[in-house]
Amino acid sequence: MASHRKSRPSGTRAAGIRTPALATAALTSVALLSQTAEATPSTDGKPSLEEVEKKVDALYRQAESATEKYNAAKERTDRQRKQVDTLLDDVARRADRLNTAREELGTFAAAQYRTGAAAPDTATFLLADSPQDYFDQTQLMSRLTSRQKGAVDDYVTQQSATMKKRQEAARSLEALTETQDDLKTAKTTVQAKLASARELLSRLTAAEKARLAAIEKRQQEEAARKAAELARQQAAAAGQETSSNSTSGSSSSASGSAYATKAAKAIAFARAQIGKPYVWGATGPGSYDCSGLSQAAWKAAGVSLPRTTYDQVNAGTTVSLADAQPGDLVFFYGDVSHVGIYIGSGMMIHAPKPGAYVREESIYYGGESIIHSVVRPA
């Protein structure tokens, strides 16, 4: 990546939420698998079910991370392409003005050739038919000389400005080419990771796939339990806050109400997308990736969010998980490569991964350790 690119968030603490430097959904899968017979190393040379699950999780994670890099590169490409088009249009207009100035110089040169290259002098005065003829000729030549000087100055100015714009356009084209290379690299990476994941899954037998489904079900049950626990904690905290504000009054009630109204619109939009497929790089309306869904949902509420998770995580106020409200964005993993829209009670709506569909799910779907931060975007 070029030096001017925005750095990616690293694994740090954010608003009291633990942010591991290395955390993936595979950790939860491995913990569960280790308690089963499938975790036993294979003796026939084939990867164990545990190894396959771990590799597939890792590949999907890498694909999603590459997707966000693709999204960032595509956004830069679109922006730079517009800039290049604008510069090239400007260069074309300036070239037209330069040609006009050049033609004007040619007209003055022809006029001088017809009337004489030098201004009239005393000899011209003596040879003139009358003093008036001399003064008329002197006035004409003076006007031509003055206008010619102005034409020359204008030509030089136009030529210099055109050269500068051409150089600026060339630099923009170079930057666009570089970003397009980044775009191709990210696209190739996503496709390669997804192909590898599909290839690994294709090797599983029906019985192995059934066991993986059972493992996923246990994961979902554990995630639902933790979501219910968070919901109880948030309800208790809300009750205490309501009791406190009933006597003192809340100065933030108006702003809280305004946010709740916008959040309700964002959630309603997201809920209407449930069942649509995850497609990397997609922003709707037929399919979405994770950041494409969060961007579209908040756009429906009148709030403009950046395209990528890397930028969305900075597009609002970071709050603690305990203070999360419906509409907040929940970010995951140390590289902030996944996002979901919190809907309350420990649940969210998100576009999970390739091969899956937009759905409601516990924010603990991959374990508590992968939650990076919570951001209130409006």
Side-chain angles (χ1 to χ4, degrees):
M1 292 297 219
S3 59
H4 64 278
R5 304 292 162 74
K6 179 176 178 178
S7 60
R8 298 298 181 240
S10 59
T12 58
R13 281 185 181 271
I17 297 176
R18 183 158 54 87
T19 305
L22 297 172
T24 67
L27 295 177
T28 302
S29 301
V30 172
L32 289 168
L33 283 163
S34 65
Q35 301 171 14
T36 67
E38 289 84 355
T40 304
S42 174
T43 59
D44 59 1
K46 288 178 56 179
S48 68
L49 194 58
E50 176 190 20
E51 293 169 335
V52 171
E53 172 75 1
K54 184 177 180 179
K55 287 180 180 179
V56 169
D57 280 351
L59 287 167
Y60 278 145
R61 279 279 300 107
Q62 292 163 10
E64 191 166 35
S65 181
T67 293
E68 289 304 311
K69 292 177 182 178
Y70 170 87
N71 291 339
K74 187 176 186 303
E75 191 175 40
R76 286 196 303 273
T77 297
D78 293 342
R79 184 171 60 250
Q80 289 171 345
R81 185 177 287 114
K82 289 179 182 178
Q83 182 181 22
V84 167
D85 289 344
T86 299
L87 285 170
L88 291 178
D89 287 343
D90 192 18
V91 167
R93 287 193 296 270
R94 289 179 182 278
D96 287 341
R97 289 198 292 268
L98 189 63
N99 289 334
T100 300
R102 185 182 294 112
E103 290 172 0
E104 190 174 2
L105 282 177
T107 300
F108 288 138
Q112 274 196 324
Y113 178 78
R114 289 193 302 270
T115 58
D121 54 15
T122 304
T124 306
F125 174 77
L126 293 175
L127 294 174
D129 293 335
S130 69
Q132 186 62 47
D133 290 342
Y134 171 80
F135 289 118
D136 288 346
Q137 189 178 32
T138 300
Q139 188 178 27
L140 172 63
M141 292 303 297
S142 175
R143 286 201 303 270
L144 284 176
T145 302
S146 176
R147 290 178 61 191
Q148 184 182 30
K149 183 178 183 302
V152 170
D153 290 343
D154 181 58
Y155 178 79
V156 171
T157 300
Q158 293 291 347
Q159 187 179 46
S160 176
T162 302
M163 286 293 294
K164 289 180 179 178
K165 285 296 179 181
R166 282 175 177 166
Q167 292 170 354
E168 186 178 352
R171 289 193 296 270
S172 294
L173 280 170
E174 185 179 354
L176 175 60
T177 300
E178 181 183 349
T179 306
Q180 286 176 325
D181 289 342
D182 293 342
L183 189 66
K184 292 177 182 177
T185 299
K187 182 176 181 179
T188 300
T189 301
V190 173
Q191 292 172 330
K193 299 300 182 183
L194 295 180
S196 296
R198 286 192 294 269
E199 197 274 334
L200 281 172
L201 290 172
S202 70
R203 298 179 188 175
L204 298 179
T205 65
E208 288 172 328
K209 290 179 181 178
R211 290 198 294 273
L212 280 180
I215 292 168
E216 183 176 354
K217 183 178 180 181
R218 291 198 295 271
Q219 290 176 325
Q220 292 173 346
E221 290 171 349
E222 173 61 15
R225 185 192 67 77
K226 291 188 70 65
E229 180 182 340
L230 176 63
R232 286 192 295 271
Q233 294 172 353
Q234 290 179 332
Q240 292 175 356
E241 183 178 355
T242 300
S243 176
S244 173
N245 291 335
S246 63
T247 55
S248 61
S250 176
S251 60
S252 62
S253 59
S255 60
S257 177
Y259 178 75
T261 299
K262 293 178 181 179
K265 292 179 180 179
I267 292 172
F269 178 92
R271 186 165 279 122
Q273 313 313 308
I274 289 176
K276 293 183 179 180
Y278 174 103
V279 174
W280 65 273
T283 57
S287 58
Y288 297 89
D289 62 18
C290 66
S291 56
L293 177 63
S294 57
Q295 183 188 49
W298 271 101
K299 182 179 180 181
V303 177
S304 178
L305 291 182
R307 174 64 181 94
T308 69
T309 55
Y310 307 132
D311 293 325
Q312 288 180 7
V313 75
N314 296 317
T317 303
T318 303
V319 299
S320 68
L321 183 57
D323 292 330
Q325 296 180 13
D328 292 350
L329 301 179
V330 185
F331 294 90
F332 299 87
Y333 304 107
D335 62 355
V336 197
S337 57
H338 187 68
V339 63
I341 303 166
Y342 191 64
I343 59 175
S345 300
M347 302 293 289
M348 67 178 174
I349 297 174
H350 69 149
K353 62 183 179 181
Y357 298 84
V358 176
R359 65 193 183 202
E360 289 188 16
E361 193 165 29
S362 168
I363 61 172
Y364 299 105
Y365 76 104
E368 185 175 3
S369 63
I370 69 168
I371 297 176
H372 177 277
S373 57
V374 180
V375 171
R376 190 157 299 153

